[in-house]
Amino acid sequence: GENVEQHPSTLSVQEGDSAVIKCTYSDSASNYFPWYKQELGKGPQLIIDIRSNVGEKKDQRIAVTLNKTAKHFSLHITETQPEDSAVYFCAASDKDNLFFGTGTRLTVIP
Amino acid sequence: EPEVTQTPSHQVTQMGQEVILRCVPISNHLYFYWYRQILGQKVEFLVSFYNNEISEKSEIFDDQFSVERPDGSNFTLKIRSTKLEDSAMYFCASSTGTGNTGELFFGEGSRLTVL
């Protein structure tokens, strides 16, 4: 089955700086890569996703990149704000189910 | 905004007891899921459900587990004879499509503590 690895497990940045979280996947059949944000006491919420026919996607301060050849994808958050502090999960899917990474706890220091 | 709701938010049970976790998916969604997250670990897929039957299940979802959609709104996860290692946060999710065709909307989770 699919195995998704995520790094780093924790990340602290100063407010205004950028944050980058990286993931790798094992199954070349995976073609959908969402990113979820989990705030304390809540369920994961989709923040951005990318499909395998696209190399990069941007939504305001958030961008994702995908390298199918290397089987890795990344989340980039620019101009970080304190409200960006949360746990971020990457995931991969080939058809039916999502396989999640281990999560990155992002702390934005004011 | 429509949301997935889960009850209870926290349940404490003795080892060996049966537990039922309840979920009300978003009303026009067709695919339903249960995931679990052991403290500090990744979110793990348990089971997916479509058209009133299980469409896929993971190795974790053994005979101890069952799911049911008893009426048009609820989606339940039953854990028979709970074990200590069942302690985790259980998330219900629903979507209009399968994993790579529709966004999964997650509930806030039910924390299960087995003593």
Side-chain angles (χ1 to χ4, degrees), chain A residues 3-5 31-32 36 38 41-46 51 89 93-103, chain B residues 1 33 35 37 40-45 48 55-56 91 98-109:
Chain A
N3 182 43
V4 179
E5 300 286 339
N31 56 14
Y32 175 63
Y36 282 80
Q38 186 179 23
K42 296 188 176 182
Q45 276 195 303
L46 180 72
R51 297 190 180 275
F89 291 96
S93 172
D94 63 345
K95 48 178 183 176
D96 291 328
N97 305 310
L98 288 180
F99 295 89
F100 285 84
T102 47
Chain B
E1 184 176 327
Y33 306 83
Y35 285 80
Q37 185 179 28
Q41 298 185 25
K42 67 170 69 177
V43 177
E44 299 174 292
F45 168 72
S48 57
S55 51
E56 192 166 343
F91 290 105
T98 56
N100 69 350
T101 61
E103 175 184 349
L104 262 63
F105 290 81
F106 285 84
E108 295 195 346

Side-chain angles (χ1 to χ4, degrees), chain A residues 25-96:
Chain A
Y25 62 99
S26 60
D27 188 350
S28 57
S30 290
N31 56 14
Y32 175 63
F33 307 92
W35 286 87
Y36 282 80
K37 177 183 181 182
Q38 186 179 23
E39 297 177 334
L40 194 63
K42 296 188 176 182
Q45 276 195 303
L46 180 72
I47 54 172
I48 195 167
D49 57 15
I50 190 167
R51 297 190 180 275
S52 59
N53 58 347
V54 175
E56 185 173 352
K57 183 176 178 180
K58 191 172 182 180
D59 182 4
Q60 299 183 341
R61 296 187 296 109
I62 296 173
V64 289
T65 58
L66 171 65
N67 183 328
K68 282 187 62 181
T69 303
K71 295 201 197 72
H72 65 70
F73 55 114
S74 301
L75 176 72
H76 304 251
I77 306 174
T78 59
E79 300 172 31
T80 52
Q81 301 168 1
E83 52 265 37
D84 294 331
S85 295
V87 178
Y88 291 80
F89 291 96
C90 62
S93 172
D94 63 345
K95 48 178 183 176
D96 291 328

